Amino acid sequence: MKCCKCKAEIPDNSRFCMECGAEQSTGKTCPTCGNELPEEAVFCPYCGHKQEIGTPEPSQTSVQKQKDEEIALFPKRDPSNKDFLHSEGYMDKTGKIVIPGNYDSAYPFHEGMARVRKEYEGKYGFIDSSGKLVIPCQWGYAENFSCGLARVRNEFFQEGFIDKTGKLVIPFQYLPACVSDFHDGLAMVTDSDFRNGFIDKTGKLVIPYQWRDAHDFHEGLARVKNERLTDGYGYIDKTGKLVIPCQWKLAGDFHEGLARVWGAGDSNIGDGYIDKSGKLVFVSEHSCSEDFHEGLARCCDGFINKTGRLAISCNATGDFCEGLARVQDGWTNKYGYIDNKGQYVIPCKYGEADEKFHNGLARVRGMVGSENVYHYIDKTGKMVSLY
């Protein structure tokens, strides 16, 4: 068979091209550029276009991501509110204020809700996309909604979870840093002996306190260490079964079917990637590799593809998202953005820049006229609005 990207001859049923590293398609093509797409592509790895037709049945995560993208609202200072410190509201993609700025802090929308904070009360609450304060500003701290629940903190420094009506569904019983947000329907919790387990969305302990180090679930698996910390990291499934033995000195979460690992047992394997069966897929020659996003993983030399080869040489400071990745000029320390071919789409001219584009916009700090100010840009680098 031939590679869907570079057309090189590769073995039949290959998942990745050994020449260019492109993931092989199941027949779906991008309606914008015409290139064949990987099976679960949300964005085209060639032109960055968001796929809206011909996609397979989406996962719960991708469905929620699509819903978040439908709420294209962005935090912005409301110039009509002269109380500058308490003037954050929301704009649409054109820069128009659609939710008046009445808050000290306004955060991006997640699962249809956005965190807001009132300075005078010093408390957090949540608004919906119409701007209605659905959950009053009453919590000492709050995280974004995830899997339909948000982690909140009371005046006694205890944390629990509320639903989207503001109802407390998991009581205040956890100290900060002893409970995580929900991922894949489960949240990591820690007991008084510093062992980790997992609760479901009712608060029931479904995976017992037995791991000395545990992390959130991603793509159905969570990395853990057992009582013998010297054994290294392994992975459990959502039933708590150890499906990949504890053997890796360092390990990351699964993204796009692969997880970063380093050093098994007495070996010196570095910057390798395993699949969900635990099989070592490849070892990269490039150190400091990160998770895969849109088919590419950041490393110290730029970005590698899914064969471990260097696909883009650059000073990468962000992962690919919506077809673009943040990079930094080593001489000026300014930030810009490249596409997945390594071409500079937005020059490195910003002192600060969001790591990722969100719904087509990124917030940056740079010169607008004679002033160095925060503002939003689109994916061509055009200024949309002041922040």
Side-chain angles (χ1 to χ4, degrees), residues 83-273:
D83 188 357
F84 179 80
L85 294 177
H86 316 296
S87 62
E88 286 210 0
Y90 292 84
M91 71 175 196
D92 62 17
K93 292 186 75 169
T94 69
K96 177 184 177 182
I97 291 289
V98 292
I99 297 177
N102 298 316
Y103 301 101
D104 172 64
S105 299
Y107 299 85
F109 276 85
H110 289 266
E111 300 191 3
M113 308 280 276
R115 283 185 298 157
V116 292
R117 185 166 68 92
K118 288 274 193 180
E119 173 64 23
Y120 301 118
E121 295 91 346
K123 304 289 186 180
Y124 290 83
F126 292 87
I127 63 172
D128 63 18
S129 59
S130 72
K132 179 182 177 181
L133 189 63
V134 178
I135 300 173
C137 295
Q138 59 183 306
W139 309 111
Y141 181 73
E143 279 291 348
N144 296 320
F145 273 90
S146 179
C147 298
L149 299 179
R151 179 161 50 96
V152 294
R153 186 181 301 165
N154 65 14
E155 65 272 25
F156 303 109
F157 224 60
Q158 297 170 315
E159 295 188 350
F161 290 86
I162 58 172
D163 64 17
K164 291 185 178 180
T165 69
K167 178 183 177 182
L168 186 67
V169 294
I170 298 178
F172 292 109
Q173 56 185 299
Y174 303 105
L175 292 175
C178 290
V179 60
S180 73
D181 297 325
F182 278 88
H183 294 266
D184 287 2
L186 299 176
M188 190 272 294
V189 290
T190 305
D191 69 5
S192 58
D193 291 325
F194 301 102
R195 294 175 301 177
N196 302 133
F198 291 85
I199 58 172
D200 65 15
K201 292 169 64 176
T202 69
K204 178 183 178 182
L205 187 69
V206 293
I207 298 178
Y209 295 109
Q210 58 181 308
W211 305 105
R212 280 301 177 186
D213 188 18
H215 297 260
D216 295 325
F217 275 88
H218 289 270
E219 299 185 7
L221 298 177
R223 57 187 162 114
V224 295
K225 273 188 176 183
N226 59 22
E227 290 283 351
R228 293 180 49 173
L229 295 176
T230 55
D231 288 347
Y233 285 97
Y235 293 84
I236 59 172
D237 64 18
K238 292 172 69 174
T239 69
K241 179 183 177 182
L242 187 66
V243 293
I244 299 176
C246 294
Q247 59 179 317
W248 302 102
K249 294 176 182 177
L250 294 174
D253 300 319
F254 273 92
H255 288 267
E256 299 185 5
L258 298 175
R260 295 175 293 125
V261 293
W262 182 86
D266 295 328
S267 74
N268 291 316
I269 293 174
D271 292 313
Y273 286 81

Side-chain angles (χ1 to χ4, degrees), residues 3 6 8-11 14 16-22 24 305-307 309:
C3 170
C6 71
E9 290 289 343
I10 57 177
S14 295
F16 301 104
C17 173
M18 299 306 293
E19 294 297 323
C20 70
Q24 301 307 297
N305 61 29
K306 290 187 176 180
T307 68
R309 294 187 179 184

Side-chain angles (χ1 to χ4, degrees), residues 23 28 30-31 37-45 47-53 55-59 61-66 69 256 294-295 321-323:
E23 188 168 2
K28 184 176 64 174
C30 174
L37 300 173
E39 182 177 359
E40 297 182 354
V42 177
F43 293 92
C44 174
C47 70
H49 176 74
K50 179 177 180 293
Q51 302 306 304
E52 298 178 350
I53 60 174
T55 55
E57 183 176 350
S59 66
T61 301
S62 63
V63 168
Q64 188 54 59
K65 182 177 180 180
Q66 182 176 356
E69 289 167 351
E256 299 185 5
E294 298 185 10
C321 182
E322 299 187 14

